[in-house]
Amino acid sequence: MARRVHCRGTGLHSGKEISLSLQPAPAGSGIRFQRTDLPHKPAFRLEAESIVNTTLATVAAHPTNPTCRISTIEHLLGALHALEIDNLLIQVDGPELPVLDGCAEAFVFLLQCAGVTQLEAMRNRMEILQPVEVSKDGASARLAPLSVEEQASPGLYLDLSIAFPQSVIGRQSWSMQLNAQSFRQDIARARTFVAFEDIAALQAQGLARGGSLQNAVVVQDTQVLNPEGTRGKDEFVRHKVLDAIGDLYCNGLQIIGHFSGCRSGHALHNRLLRALMATPEAWRLLPAGAASTPEIKQGNALLPLRRLHDIRHLWSAVS
């Protein structure tokens, strides 16, 4: 990032008003988190092993101070992954990131307001050399090497399918190659969703206390309860793709490979990353530009201004 940006918003699960600050960071520092509301304000670098909870959100914690934890990081991580931001200090004054309008569009907007700059260091990417797969209760997540056709344009390819009992969702699937353009166009605006009948139980567990029709799609069997409806009939699977893109960035490395998910979620995504890191023969670090084709450069066009009214709760001050 070229300069600092910040915003305020509501935490999806805590219901608290939270300030978020995104600070430029030097080369090699990676993605780091800091709780400014805690004593001593310890900062920690994000790694797959940092994830300590995956119940309805991805939660990271300081490796030696487990009370320093930050929840609901997946949407911002998805934007960072797509925009190829490798070094960043993320500061919050509460237990989770603000949910804003329940997707990643507001984070993309903030990052583009800040601007992106190149640092004087070589970027390493993680190339998948052998398949790695995890599964549980009929759900699965897999990372595999690129096919011969995909090697012509190396990067992260994703295939994901979902199946929900609510007929308004049902079975959906989505396939894509991750880049800044495809993320902004197809993924960034897809909102988190919940079944109406589950809300009371979630709130009794201390979850979803900040949820509303302004930051989540609420479904009830055959219908969507939000007055504006969905942002396309496949918004549900596109949001699950957003979650996967964010979860796969929890090691701070962009992946060259093919991800396949069937009914996968935060827990399986983290298990997959841990399994990958525990299988050193399944991957290698590849410096940018070392692949058979040149590094792909993405544009930095700002989001259309007409969409700014959709970014509810975003009280942004770019400094």
Side-chain angles (χ1 to χ4, degrees), residues 51 53-59 74-75 239-240 242-244 246-247 264-272:
I51 306 306
N53 196 311
T54 51
T55 303
L56 298 180
T58 299
V59 184
E74 58 271 17
H75 301 166
H239 183 80
K240 289 297 187 179
L242 166 58
D243 284 346
D247 290 340
S264 60
H266 301 307
L268 271 186
H269 299 157
N270 187 246
R271 278 186 56 198
L272 178 63

Side-chain angles (χ1 to χ4, degrees), residues 58-114:
T58 299
V59 184
H62 193 288
T64 61
N65 186 357
T67 60
C68 177
R69 55 172 55 198
I70 301 175
S71 177
T72 325
I73 64 175
E74 58 271 17
H75 301 166
L76 174 57
L77 287 179
L80 296 175
H81 198 168
L83 298 185
E84 300 186 356
I85 295 178
D86 305 290
N87 302 285
L88 181 69
L89 175 61
I90 302 165
Q91 296 176 317
V92 289
D93 63 355
E96 63 181 322
L97 270 61
V99 69
L100 303 178
D101 71 338
C103 64
E105 184 177 39
F107 293 125
V108 171
F109 173 76
L110 280 174
L111 294 169
Q112 291 180 321
C113 285

Side-chain angles (χ1 to χ4, degrees), residues 305-317:
L305 293 178
R306 66 177 180 274
R307 289 190 182 175
L308 295 185
H309 72 277
D310 288 330
I311 306 177
R312 302 178 179 93
H313 304 304
L314 181 62
W315 306 315
S316 173

